[in-house]
Amino acid sequence: MNVVFLTLASEGGASPRYRVYQYLPWLERAGIRCTVLPAVSARASRRLYGTGRRSANAAYQAAELACRLAQLARARRFDTVVVQKSLLTVGLRGLDRLAAAAAGRLVIDVDDAVHLGPPHRLAGWLRALEDEAQPARLLTRADRVVAGSEALAASIRPLNPHVSIVPTCVDTDRLVPGRAGRGRTPVIGWIGSPSTAPYLELLAGTLRRLARKHRFVLRVVGAEAPRLAGVTVEARPWDPDRELHDLHGFDIGIMPLPDTPWARGKCGLKAVQYLAVGIPAVCSPVGAAPEIVRQSHEGFLAATASEWEAALELLLCDPGLRARLGAAGRARAEERYSLRAGAPKLVTVLEAIDD
């Protein structure tokens, strides 16, 4: 079986890294030959998705389109085409029909609610070619959709009933628990990308109130940190070589999300990372979070400012509770969100569509 994965970014992007690249050795061992074709170079994708990212411009979008069209022209050489998330960062008129015609069998893998619209608008003279419904129509044309959570799958089934769930997983042999930071100021940590960093503003008031009562550091990895008067805040760029070290520096992991249709499609990578390294997670009960974190088992689900404050205060004041919830989270990550758990599911999906 010969499969090509069409990704928006190279391995430096979180979505292709966790949804495609990390599975390649497992797929190859199962006899599935894999090719990965990003829409743009690693350098170009860093400009769009990196910490100091810029808006996509017409030149970027034209280059992305030219590259993707050339890749689709080669698609018939492969048994199955897997589109990871979307064909382009924008919606382009007619591209869904072209992809369906070019692919022998078409699989769409999603870890965001791309059917609600593309992540960017077309720029400049390309605006005349825009079709914001194109990503949704691509889902309807797929032979199989792979979703990163049940919540996301439920929102896609009205478009295509052929949906399988493969949760976003991590390599639990690499992401392992570290030593508890005894005696240090507790660290409330967040890791992610600039696109989700604005959600930290949801906790601005909560963190300010906590800082008046307790000593802690808010550490943000992968994006600029919010400015919060009275709160000690640190920001660090995401670095693949430092990711584990940075996670080990957290005592509590947070994942705030607004309750919006787009956020409900989020598949909870942050929460899975926190569980894997053995730290308790506090999350908004949105999207995949309630599937990953069970209330008072691996962490807490907090819907209101008072619930967030209570959960964080409890964990800040009780290192023993942090250790117990962290150990439970590690066990859950190994059982449900490890490569050993997720890779066989992806193999099964690809082999079934090949029959």
Side-chain angles (χ1 to χ4, degrees), residues 4 86 95 103 105-106 118 122 145 147 162 173 205 208 216 227 249 282 302 307 335 340 354:
V4 61
S86 185
L95 195 60
R105 286 177 288 272
L106 180 62
L122 276 165
V145 178
H162 306 295
D173 291 334
R208 288 192 191 102
F216 68 87
R227 296 180 180 180
V282 184
E307 290 175 353
E335 178 186 359
R340 283 186 293 275
D354 192 47

Side-chain angles (χ1 to χ4, degrees), residues 11-333:
E11 192 171 3
S15 190
R17 184 168 70 254
Y18 284 99
R19 301 293 298 178
V20 177
Y21 284 94
Q22 68 172 351
Y23 287 117
L24 297 181
W26 297 76
L27 298 178
E28 295 282 354
R29 286 196 292 269
I32 299 173
R33 297 185 301 280
C34 301
T35 301
V36 183
L37 300 177
V40 292
S41 67
R43 180 180 179 183
S45 65
R46 280 196 300 272
R47 291 182 62 202
L48 185 61
Y49 296 104
T51 302
R53 69 179 187 156
R54 309 173 193 176
S55 297
N57 57 30
Y60 178 99
Q61 292 168 347
E64 179 186 48
L65 174 60
C67 183
R68 188 61 92 209
L69 290 176
Q71 292 165 354
L72 288 174
R74 300 168 49 197
R76 279 290 178 183
R77 303 178 188 179
F78 302 93
D79 302 311
T80 300
V81 174
V82 180
V83 175
Q84 203 283 306
K85 188 172 285 192
S86 185
L87 285 164
L88 301 173
T89 55
V90 296
L92 188 67
R93 188 181 309 146
L95 195 60
D96 54 299
R97 291 194 300 274
L98 179 61
R105 286 177 288 272
L106 180 62
V107 177
I108 314 296
D109 175 88
V110 288
D111 59 350
D112 268 321
V114 293
H115 55 293
L116 299 179
H120 298 280
R121 298 293 305 275
L122 276 165
W125 58 269
L126 292 171
R127 184 66 59 85
L129 304 175
E130 189 168 53
D131 179 5
E132 291 189 87
Q134 176 258 299
R137 279 201 296 274
L138 184 66
L139 287 169
T140 68
R141 295 179 183 276
D143 297 293
R144 173 66 55 176
V145 178
V146 181
S149 74
E150 174 54 44
L152 181 56
S155 70
I156 291 172
R157 287 192 184 104
L159 298 172
N160 190 327
H162 306 295
V163 183
S164 300
I165 299 170
V166 178
T168 296
C169 296
V170 299
D171 183 354
T172 52
D173 291 334
R174 184 181 69 87
L175 293 186
V176 296
R179 295 181 180 179
R182 301 183 187 279
R184 73 182 183 197
T185 300
V187 175
I188 298 174
W190 179 96
I191 189 169
S193 69
S195 64
T196 53
Y199 299 152
L200 285 168
E201 296 290 347
L202 297 170
L203 301 183
T206 297
L207 293 169
R208 288 192 191 102
R209 287 190 298 274
L210 279 172
R212 289 196 287 266
K213 298 182 287 183
H214 304 283
R215 290 178 63 245
F216 68 87
V217 173
L218 172 66
R219 185 170 297 156
V220 175
V221 177
E224 294 183 3
R227 296 180 180 180
L228 301 173
V231 181
T232 302
V233 182
E234 299 175 357
R236 297 179 179 178
W238 178 82
D239 182 332
D241 296 326
R242 283 186 53 89
E243 182 180 61
L244 181 59
H245 175 78
D246 287 333
L247 287 166
H248 283 170
F250 296 175
D251 296 289
I252 303 163
I254 56 173
M255 190 177 76
L257 290 171
D259 191 8
T260 63
W262 177 260
R264 290 175 207 139
K266 291 293 180 182
C267 293
L269 171 60
K270 294 176 185 62
V272 173
Q273 289 175 302
Y274 302 151
L275 267 56
V277 298
I279 59 173
V282 184
C283 308
S284 300
V286 175
E291 302 171 35
I292 299 167
V293 176
R294 297 171 297 178
Q295 187 72 287
S296 302
H297 283 78
E298 297 84 23
F300 296 99
L301 300 171
T304 65
S306 60
E307 290 175 353
W308 270 98
E309 186 171 349
L312 290 173
E313 187 166 27
L314 187 60
L315 291 168
L316 285 171
C317 295
D318 193 340
L321 177 62
R322 296 200 300 263
R324 291 193 297 275
L325 296 183
R330 171 65 185 183
R332 188 164 177 80

